[in-house]
Amino acid sequence: MAPKRPQASPPPGNPGAPRGKRRGSPLDYAGHGVKFLGVSVLSGVLLAGMALPAVGALGLTAKNTAEGFSNISDDFKTPPLTQATQIFDAKGGLIAKVYERDRTVLTADQMSPYMRQAQVDIEDARFYEHGAVDLKGVLRAISKNAESGTASQGASTLTQQYVKNVNVEKAGDDQAAVLEAQRKTLGRKIQELKVAIKLEEDLTKDQILTNYLNITFYGHQAYGIEAASQRYFSKSNKDLSIAEAATLAGLVQNPSQYDPVRFPDNAVKRRNVVIDKMVENKHITADQAKEAKAAPLGLKYKDPQNGCITAQAGMGFFCDYVRHVVKQDPVFGKNAAERKKFWDQGGLNIYTTLDPDKQAAAQNAVTSKVKVTDPVSAATTMMEPGTGKILAMAQTRPYGLEPAKNQTVVNLNVDAAMGGGNGFQPGSTFKPIIAAAALENGMSPTKAYPSENRIEWPTMKTCEGTWKNTYKGNERYVPNESKSEVGPYELKQAMALSVNTYFVQMEQEMGLCPVKQMLDKLSITTTASGAKLEIVPSITLGTKEMSPLTMANVYATFAARGKHCTPIAINKITTVDGKDVNVPQTSCTQAFSEQTADAMNSVLLNVTEKGTGASLGLEDGRQIAGKTGTTDKKKAAWFSGYTPQLATAVWIGGPTGGVEMKNMKIGDTYYGADGVFGATGPGPIWKMAMDGALKGSPKESLPTIDIPDPAPKPDPNATPGATAPANPANPADPNAGGNPPPAPNPGDPGTNAGGMIGGGFTFPPGVIGGGNGNGNGNGNGNGHR
């Protein structure tokens, strides 16, 4: 036999009061004969099963009834309930709450006594007196149904309802399984009854009631009494008044019909029925009931706030990135199904790397310089050098599902696999990677190349063999910005001016295998779309689509003196009961030597002091290093740069590619026929974001090496003994690098027929695509910056 059940706690305000007198025997209704018989046939079968569960009466121990009856699993006693997960920034601010089911599991002592009593009184007043099955309740239901001629009166105990709710919870989002768990069949009822009987042998009544109050649905996406309290009254369950507790308890039978938001009159009537039951069962006094009934509903309703769409300050995209991390990183499960279950189960507190101040600075910059209604968008990622921590992730267009409002859920900062698009060609911001490979391979930082104004793509060694130029027409050639860009050049000057032919000749001398090895060390093995990265000569001009996160991490590696750390977004995860969960850790390696990094700092400082980024100095005058980039037909423009504490990449372009940024207004700036350049479009965004993000932080200098400036080139037309004129291609030239070039002369053989852009060039239509993953270089080595 089951152990004797504990009695209900004495009601507040009237301790020790006896329960109200029960109604007469249901057999008094025998005069209803035919009606009673019709309803009782089914009930008789149920009663037989209830009375003799352990001996298998009526064959109920057969398969497909209550298999495993003798040993109910712990998952049924206290199932792992789906709960809400909270995502926090690095300072503890809430970014968003996400859930499959909005629920916060409470212990019994965290629950309002009024709530516990009200729920029992309205759903199963004899809960503490009967076993898993209430025989008196069944007979009473039979007689009521006989009176009305319907089967409207139920007799399920609170324990049976709990069992049904567990089956629904286990079904999750499998609609077929949910319907199966809710099927009103004799077999299903018998299964629930048998499990309920065993549960009452293993759990106390108080434990069952606590579990029931945590699992039950209260409408408006609220599961369990804590979520319901917050949803309807904006307070914790423990703070509910009698009237509020009665309102919630009344919802369980029919959350739609008694919805206090849509049908307040119905809700009040139902609430008052619950209050009457609480008086009848001596859980509150008549005076308390009178006061509770006189109270208004007093709703302080809060709409369900679910998912990254509710995140503030533009944090929705980072929130979505965190979701992708949890669903893809093996630390959260060995396969996709396990990881999805972990995320859907919820009940987590996720503490991320996102710095709210830097996020605000980044968000302000991308939305101030580019309007949400502009035909183009901007995106920026900030990273902490040497740690892999993502500190900010912002873009112009807001996170959302309404394209008519220029919303999107595509995170333009990340690769497609992490919720992004197919990336964008980074242009000349990729050249520093090639330079680092050359320096690491033994090249001197003062190495000079002829850097003619235009050259044929040269034959190059690869890891597998040899690449040869087989193109026809203009495709065979690599041009520089204008006829004034004629070498020889050394590295510092070539980077400041972004001289294309210099970097192609650098590639030719070292071969493409060191380039591949450097990219592998920087964890760049695919394009943003996930396609395998082709190592072809045009890669130096940034023809392979990358995401801002990838480029920010490259420049963070420069800032960290060659230490490359894989990106991380999560600092810590705890469960709601305070247990730590393993999280992904960054993996740091030395991608290149500190000596190479220091040389690159010197080279990239020259870009921001004398080259294409000279207009982007920060307000406090601190040292910055970086590189501009502009792609073919102005379909994308970049600036990536850093200080010792912070690396930031900014992209601007059409969200799905294909927008030529010429003759248009972006933000408050009009760009004419020359269009957008790295220094004029993304550059000011980078400057504004970095000024805000670094405000108040200590100034730090970048470690550098001394790289002497090259001697001025002699003027072949100069008079012997006269002072040589300044180099016509000096970095201060307003037409250099990322600034608009002079109008091309169609008759000038040194000018590319397609028109020059920001140190890059234009290819004939169809050779190179622009924007969001459409350009692949066709594997032929053609490219642009």
Side-chain angles (χ1 to χ4, degrees), residues 9-68:
S9 304
N14 195 6
R19 290 184 177 271
K21 185 178 180 182
R22 299 295 177 187
R23 302 180 66 175
S25 168
L27 296 180
D28 293 341
Y29 295 100
H32 294 285
V34 176
K35 293 179 183 178
F36 178 86
L37 181 62
V39 178
S40 65
V41 170
L42 174 61
S43 301
V45 175
L46 292 178
L47 287 172
M50 287 184 271
L52 301 170
V55 296
L58 301 180
L60 297 183
T61 57
K63 286 184 178 180
N64 300 322
T65 57
E67 194 170 338

Side-chain angles (χ1 to χ4, degrees), residues 720-779:
T723 303
N727 184 348
N730 78 73
D733 185 340
N735 293 324
N739 296 310
N745 180 356
D748 183 351
T751 301
N752 179 37
M756 300 308 305
I757 58 165
F761 52 90
T762 300
F763 283 107
V767 176
I768 297 293
N772 194 27
N774 298 321
N776 58 17
N778 290 330

Side-chain angles (χ1 to χ4, degrees), residues 77 81 88 93 166 169 184 225 341 445 517 544 602 614 700:
K77 297 173 188 174
L81 299 179
F88 300 94
V166 171
E169 179 77 18
K184 295 181 179 180
I225 57 171
K341 182 179 179 182
Q517 292 167 351
K544 301 301 180 180
S602 299
E700 297 181 19

Side-chain angles (χ1 to χ4, degrees), residues 16 134 142 191 218 280 347 350 394 418 477-478 576 628 696 749 762 784:
D134 183 6
I142 291 172
Q191 286 181 357
Y218 288 87
E280 178 183 334
I350 301 178
M418 301 303 290
Y477 299 95
V478 185
V576 289
T628 56
T762 300
H784 49 80

Side-chain angles (χ1 to χ4, degrees), residues 273-291:
V273 170
V274 176
I275 292 170
D276 287 340
K277 286 286 186 180
M278 295 178 76
V279 174
E280 178 183 334
N281 290 296
K282 309 300 182 183
H283 284 139
I284 60 173
T285 66
D287 288 342
Q288 287 176 308
K290 182 178 179 181
E291 181 181 352

Side-chain angles (χ1 to χ4, degrees), residues 428-429 431-432 481 485 492-499 503 555 603-617 624-630 638-640 677-684 686 729-741 757-760 785:
S428 287
T429 59
K431 286 176 180 171
E481 175 71 29
E485 289 184 358
K492 251 185 15 175
Q493 193 178 28
M495 188 71 78
L497 290 169
S498 206
V499 179
F503 291 95
Y555 283 75
V603 169
L604 294 175
L605 274 168
N606 196 55
V607 173
T608 59
E609 291 174 353
K610 300 178 181 178
T612 58
S615 63
L616 304 177
I624 61 171
K627 184 70 184 76
T628 56
T630 312
W638 294 73
F639 186 79
S640 297
F677 293 86
T680 61
W686 184 91
N730 78 73
D733 185 340
N735 293 324
N739 296 310
I757 58 165
R785 75 175 178 94

Side-chain angles (χ1 to χ4, degrees), residues 224-243:
I225 57 171
E226 181 62 17
S229 300
Q230 296 290 350
R231 179 76 72 254
Y232 295 106
F233 298 109
S234 298
K235 62 169 65 174
S236 174
N237 174 263
K238 62 183 175 58
D239 298 323
L240 291 175
S241 67
I242 293 173

Side-chain angles (χ1 to χ4, degrees), residues 494-625:
M495 188 71 78
L497 290 169
S498 206
V499 179
N500 292 328
T501 57
Y502 179 93
F503 291 95
V504 172
Q505 289 171 345
M506 175 192 287
E507 276 187 317
Q508 180 189 22
E509 181 176 11
M510 70 173 164
L512 292 175
C513 205
V515 174
K516 180 183 186 304
Q517 292 167 351
M518 178 59 67
L519 290 169
D520 287 345
K521 292 176 182 178
L522 293 171
S523 304
I524 304 176
T525 57
T526 67
T527 65
S529 69
K532 182 180 178 181
L533 186 64
E534 268 191 298
I535 309 300
V536 291
S538 67
I539 200 166
T540 191
L541 305 181
T543 59
K544 301 301 180 180
E545 291 81 1
M546 299 289 149
S547 66
L549 174 59
T550 295
M551 296 309 297
N553 205 18
V554 168
Y555 283 75
T557 305
F558 291 135
R561 302 190 75 192
K563 182 180 179 182
H564 171 71
C565 298
T566 54
I568 55 169
I570 300 171
N571 282 327
K572 180 181 179 181
I573 296 180
T574 61
T575 61
V576 289
D577 54 357
K579 296 179 181 177
D580 288 335
V581 174
N582 289 333
V583 299
Q585 302 295 316
T586 187
S587 173
C588 295
T589 56
Q590 197 70 28
F592 44 86
S593 69
E594 290 185 354
Q595 183 179 1
T596 293
D598 295 349
M600 287 305 303
N601 286 341
S602 299
V603 169
L604 294 175
L605 274 168
N606 196 55
V607 173
T608 59
E609 291 174 353
K610 300 178 181 178
T612 58
S615 63
L616 304 177
L618 299 186
E619 290 177 353
D620 60 8
R622 73 177 67 215
Q623 244 183 9
I624 61 171

